[in-house]
């Protein structure tokens, strides 16, 4: 082999080495860039996941509080409704009893019999007191 041929081989090998190193450097850079991009994407996703979970927990807490508030309001409304219904029923029962007492008087019941019926009927205050007690739920 001649010196020129050896020099050409040497320069060719150096050129190939430089090309391979450049390709390796570019490959590493592209891989490093890709790895960096993936790490950046992962960081963003982790932040997004954290924010989404925090928002979910916030909404969940608001829903739990709203459900508890609604249950308390519903319980209070039902209690008031039952108290009103009971008071209405007591008033209707007393009115009905008074109508029967008046009918008995018109049909000729004695004052002693009317007094006994009125004593058995009682007053509404005791019935309303009992009815006004909150139900055991």
């Amino acid at each position: 082999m001649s010196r020129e041929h050896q020099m050409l081989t040497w320069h060719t090998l150096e050129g190939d080495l430089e090309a391979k190193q450049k390709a390796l450097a570019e490959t590493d850079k592209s891989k490093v860039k890709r790895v960096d991009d993936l790490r950046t994407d992962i960081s963003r996703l982790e932040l997004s996941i954290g924010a989404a979970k925090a928002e979910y927990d916030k909404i969940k807490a608001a829903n739990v509080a709203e459900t508890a508030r609604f249950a308390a309001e519903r319980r209070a409304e039902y209690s008031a409704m039952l108290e009103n219904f009971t008071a209405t029923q007591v008033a209707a029962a007393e009115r009905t009893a008074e109508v029967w007492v008046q009918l008995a008087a018109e049909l000729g019941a004695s004052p002693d019999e009317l007094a006994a019926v009125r004593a058995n009927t009682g007053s509404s205050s005791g019935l309303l007191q009992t009815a006004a007690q909150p139900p055991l739920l």
Side-chain angles (χ1 to χ4, degrees):
M1 282 212 293
S2 74
R3 179 175 166 236
E4 290 178 9
H5 187 280
Q6 193 61 35
M7 191 177 187
L8 181 61
T9 304
W10 175 51
H11 283 291
T12 303
L13 290 173
E14 278 187 342
D16 288 343
L17 178 62
E18 286 177 19
K20 297 285 182 185
Q21 286 176 339
K22 185 178 178 183
L24 179 64
E26 288 174 5
T27 303
D28 287 343
K29 286 181 184 176
S30 70
K31 285 183 181 178
V32 168
K33 184 176 183 336
R34 178 72 177 143
V35 168
D36 286 343
D37 288 345
L38 288 172
R39 285 186 180 148
T40 302
D41 290 346
I42 288 170
S43 294
R44 287 182 190 156
L45 285 171
E46 288 172 345
L47 290 174
S48 295
I49 288 170
K53 181 160 180 6
E55 186 65 22
Y56 169 79
D57 290 341
K58 179 181 168 186
I59 291 170
K60 180 182 172 184
N63 285 346
V64 167
E66 183 69 16
T67 301
R69 182 194 62 78
F70 176 72
E73 285 179 3
R74 187 181 62 200
R75 189 173 299 119
E77 287 173 0
Y78 283 163
S79 292
M81 181 179 64
L82 286 173
E83 287 176 18
N84 289 337
F85 176 75
T86 304
T88 302
Q89 289 299 100
V90 167
E94 289 176 347
R95 178 66 184 134
T96 302
E98 187 58 38
V99 167
W100 280 107
V101 167
Q102 288 175 0
L103 179 63
E106 289 176 10
L107 293 175
S110 69
D112 292 334
E113 291 173 330
L114 292 176
V117 169
R118 284 195 175 110
N120 287 337
T121 305
S123 101
S124 65
S125 62
L127 289 174
L128 283 175
Q129 296 268 336
T130 304
Q133 293 176 356
L136 300 175
L137 298 176

